[in-house]
Amino acid sequence: MANSTSRALDKIEIVGHGVDDHRQKYWKLKVAGSRIDLPPYSSLELLEPRKRLYPELADAGCSLLSSGSQKALLHMLENYEHGATPDFYVVPRLGSFGEFYVRPRSIIGNLAQPVERALGSLDADMLQKYRWRGSLRRWQEQIGSLCDGNSRLMFAASMACTGPILPFVAGPRTGGFQITGPAETGKTTAAMVAGSIWGCHRDSARADKGFAESWNTTINKLDETAQAHCDALLILDETNLAGTDDKSRAHAVFNGAFRLSEGTKKKRFNEPETAAWRLYFLSTSNLSLDQLAAAGCVALDDQHRGRLTDVVLPRGADTHGIYEDLHGYRDGAALTDAIKDRCRAVFGAPGYQLVRRIYKNKTSRFVAKNFVAKRRNVYIELARRKAAKTGSKPLERATARFATVYAAGCLAIHYGIFTWQRADLLRAVLACQFDSLSSNTVSLPGSPLQARLTEYFAKNRANFVDLDQGKLDRARHQFGSVPGYLHTHKRTAWLYLTADQLKRIIGTGRAADEFKRRHVNDGTLAASGSRSLVQRPVFKGNGNKGYEWVHAFRLFSVNLMVGP
């Protein structure tokens, strides 16, 4: 037994010791003849060696199976005499450390001393998704070009560039945005565009969503997930997965947003230091913050909105879900399929090149810091002017975060990573902020007009005529003689009311006009130009002969009002 113990320990060498920024000590080991570069192990990790130390030594070719071998190794570590000066500096997380930037498999920047990564506490699958496939030019041609003219895609890609500049930002360095709207409108596509800046999961099942994580898994290990995305981007897809019912879902999303925005790990009793992170996170949700709160009967206030800000779908009659420009594709679904496929095939180069440019040297960091500050100031000033002109009251914290997104996108344009025009990006980010300021229709239960409309749908929806079963014969059917019409138009389900029907429900005048405007802004009611009426096919007939002017309400939004 003694000889076998000696042979095992003869293969292990302590090659040095280091400290992290909390002055915690680490040991660096090496197994003779092994090509595996073992990470440094902290004193806390050595107290529980079965979790990482013994398995990783075995992977490196030195299995310590007997208790005698294990005790002998711990005794060797215990008796190791540290030098007066650490042999290396230890970084236990990703992101910026002043003069250099840490990625899972590389360090970019100027190293004044040897640096070792100690990332063993982070999720291995999350670290592996930081990878690169395809050139920057290929990303620009296949993905970046399709973002041009689509404000939400430009916003998502620019938001993905915020991580490396957050250390330079004077405003908020944490918090998030939530792209919200009905199902199958392209929200996940925007998230995949953002993720393509950084990489894509290796596992085939997880790669289906690109770089994104799930709200469900994140809630269970929020701190570790945040640390694995520090100074990069955290994408959380589908708030619907955050809980088992409306109440738990709302609590999970709001509490998760609070914790992510705090930037520090929840401290446990006697824990000496707490882990920290900087990041913006991007969420996707069928429901807005107000709708989540209303569905779960959870209070919502500006503290929540200051930490997680809704970005609604684009406004206007010529939009296609999240898209304003289809770039020649037949519809939004076809464009979505193309972008998703490309994001799984081309990814990672923009993020890598951005970090390389910023952290090239001291001068490059100084220039980037000044550039970001100027662009943020420009955005904040323009946003304040727009708010004064429109009578809007955006939260200052939200405006500051939108300003950082704009500045990050401008820096990527400056470096030649994005090929868009700065003026187009400015319009896109402003639209994302200001389109969302009046999008809480469903959360206004006190409105008498809302109550009347909700009651009408609840009582009469079952008697709506289903136009998907066939268009009507004009000679046999009098338009407006039934409570309403159900119809799927461009892959979205709608409920139609005639102008007279809606007038009887909510009346006329300023209150009714404002009510309709709110529903249009919320995306619940379709619009044609400045009118809340649209032409839709109701009767049989060639061309547009069977079309009638109707008020078209999204079925998804109506279900939120009255239940499915």
Side-chain angles (χ1 to χ4, degrees):
M1 172 69 82
N3 289 337
S4 62
T5 298
S6 176
R7 285 196 298 272
L9 290 183
D10 284 345
K11 298 177 66 176
I12 301 175
E13 177 186 0
I14 303 175
V15 295
H17 81 283
V19 296
D20 61 18
D21 50 2
H22 296 308
R23 306 305 297 175
Q24 182 178 187
K25 292 183 178 180
Y26 290 76
W27 285 256
K28 175 78 172 176
L29 305 180
K30 180 180 180 181
V31 175
S34 176
R35 295 182 178 180
I36 295 178
D37 181 25
L38 294 170
Y41 298 97
S42 70
S43 53
L44 292 177
E45 288 172 324
L46 294 180
L47 292 176
E48 298 182 272
R50 287 182 175 82
K51 285 188 175 181
R52 289 189 53 229
L53 178 61
Y54 298 153
E56 291 179 5
L57 283 172
D59 290 341
C62 184
S63 299
L64 303 180
L65 301 180
S66 69
S67 60
S69 297
Q70 294 170 1
K71 289 179 180 178
L73 172 63
L74 296 178
H75 184 69
M76 181 174 72
L77 291 168
E78 189 177 65
N79 291 330
Y80 177 76
E81 294 185 6
H82 292 281
T85 304
D87 301 304
F88 50 81
Y89 176 63
V90 178
V91 290
R93 62 165 176 81
L94 302 181
S96 173
F97 286 83
E99 297 182 348
F100 59 89
Y101 186 98
V102 176
R103 289 170 60 92
R105 286 173 294 279
S106 64
I107 299 175
I108 299 172
N110 305 109
L111 304 181
Q113 60 180 316
V115 175
E116 290 282 345
R117 297 184 301 279
L119 308 177
S121 63
L122 305 183
D123 186 296
D125 288 331
M126 293 182 189
L127 297 182
Q128 290 176 5
K129 70 182 181 180
Y130 287 88
R131 55 195 183 107
W132 180 351
R133 179 186 293 171
S135 65
L136 174 60
R137 182 173 180 179
R138 188 178 169 197
W139 183 92
Q140 292 169 337
E141 292 173 347
Q142 296 199 8
I143 299 173
S145 62
L146 297 181
C147 297
D148 200 359
N150 286 307
S151 60
R152 274 53 177 176
L153 301 188
M154 295 173 74
F155 173 84
S158 298
M159 183 185 171
C161 296
T162 57
I165 70 168
L166 287 178
F168 311 146
V169 171
R173 300 179 181 183
T174 58
F177 299 93
Q178 178 167 268
I179 299 180
T180 179
E184 299 185 0
T185 51
K187 301 184 301 297
T188 297
T189 309
M192 290 192 69
V193 166
S196 73
I197 300 295
W198 290 99
C200 183
H201 276 289
R202 289 187 179 275
D203 180 83
S204 58
R206 299 179 75 173
D208 189 56
K209 294 294 180 67
F211 191 80
E213 303 298 328
S214 167
W215 263 109
N216 180 40
T217 56
T218 298
I219 291 301
N220 297 328
K221 50 179 182 179
L222 186 142
D223 301 327
E224 293 80 0
T225 299
Q227 291 170 58
H229 297 84
C230 184
D231 292 335
L233 174 71
L234 172 59
I235 303 172
L236 300 171
D237 196 43
E238 290 295 346
T239 57
N240 191 46
L241 303 175
T244 56
D245 54 39
D246 291 337
K247 191 174 187 67
S248 65
R249 190 174 300 118
H251 275 298
V253 172
F254 296 159
N255 290 340
F258 256 97
R259 288 176 59 192
L260 287 170
S261 298
E262 288 301 306
T264 55
K265 183 178 179 180
K266 205 172 190 178
K267 190 172 180 179
R268 297 178 177 86
F269 182 68
N270 281 340
E271 194 171 39
E273 295 290 346
T274 57
W277 56 81
R278 283 181 302 256
L279 58 82
Y280 283 178
F281 61 96
L282 179 65
S283 171
T284 67
S285 177
N286 291 346
L287 306 183
S288 67
L289 292 178
D290 291 275
Q291 291 168 339
L292 279 168
C297 298
V298 174
L300 179 69
D301 55 30
D302 285 349
Q303 291 188 71
H304 299 93
R305 294 188 181 91
R307 288 166 171 79
L308 180 58
T309 303
D310 280 330
V311 174
V312 300
L313 301 181
R315 307 302 188 198
D318 296 328
T319 58
H320 312 268
I322 205 166
Y323 309 114
E324 294 122 308
D325 186 343
L326 292 178
H327 288 278
Y329 286 85
R330 67 179 183 276
D331 54 29
L335 180 54
T336 289
D337 290 342
I339 292 176
K340 285 185 175 181
D341 287 343
R342 294 179 182 188
C343 287
R344 298 185 192 106
V346 184
F347 48 76
Y352 177 77
Q353 294 294 343
L354 179 69
V355 172
R356 261 187 85 228
R357 295 292 297 271
I358 294 173
Y359 289 86
K360 181 180 180 180
N361 51 46
K362 183 177 181 180
T363 300
S364 65
R365 294 192 304 275
F366 177 79
V367 170
K369 181 177 181 179
N370 287 343
F371 182 96
V372 166
K374 290 178 181 177
R375 300 329 305 167
R376 290 188 74 253
N377 289 338
V378 166
Y379 183 90
I380 290 171
E381 178 60 28
L382 290 174
R384 286 173 178 169
R385 292 182 191 174
K386 186 176 179 67
K389 185 177 180 180
T390 60
S392 306
K393 294 182 179 180
L395 296 175
E396 289 188 6
R397 191 174 182 84
T399 297
R401 203 176 290 118
F402 276 106
T404 302
V405 172
Y406 171 66
C410 287
L411 188 62
I413 293 172
H414 177 69
Y415 288 153
I417 295 171
F418 295 160
T419 56
W420 321 317
Q421 296 299 312
R422 189 185 293 178
D424 293 334
L425 177 62
L426 177 61
R427 284 191 292 269
V429 178
L430 285 170
C432 288
Q433 179 175 10
F434 283 86
D435 283 356
S436 306
L437 292 178
S438 58
S439 59
N440 59 349
T441 305
V442 174
S443 67
L444 300 175
S447 167
L449 303 189
Q450 181 68 43
R452 292 177 200 170
L453 184 65
T454 301
E455 182 181 11
Y456 182 87
F457 281 131
K459 288 182 177 180
N460 298 290
R461 188 177 51 178
N463 296 318
F464 278 35
V465 172
D466 188 354
L467 298 178
D468 293 341
Q469 302 300 317
K471 302 301 183 294
L472 303 174
D473 187 335
R474 192 178 292 277
R476 296 183 178 182
H477 179 81
Q478 181 181 350
F479 183 55
S481 61
V482 295
Y485 304 89
L486 170 67
H487 182 221
T488 301
H489 182 68
K490 294 184 178 180
R491 301 191 180 187
T492 300
W494 301 86
L495 296 180
Y496 298 158
L497 298 177
T498 69
D500 287 339
Q501 285 172 330
L502 186 59
K503 188 183 298 183
R504 286 196 295 269
I505 297 169
I506 66 171
T508 59
R510 182 179 298 179
D513 291 342
E514 174 64 16
F515 180 76
K516 286 185 284 188
R517 186 189 68 79
R518 283 179 176 270
H519 273 290
V520 169
N521 289 342
D522 187 59
T524 303
L525 181 61
S528 176
S530 60
R531 303 179 66 191
S532 61
L533 286 165
V534 292
Q535 280 190 306
R536 294 290 171 82
V538 175
F539 294 103
K540 298 175 182 177
N542 297 327
N544 61 357
K545 291 182 179 180
Y547 280 61
E548 293 286 349
W549 288 97
V550 296
H551 292 290
F553 290 87
R554 288 183 187 270
L555 178 60
F556 175 85
S557 299
V558 172
N559 286 342
L560 293 177
M561 300 179 201
V562 301

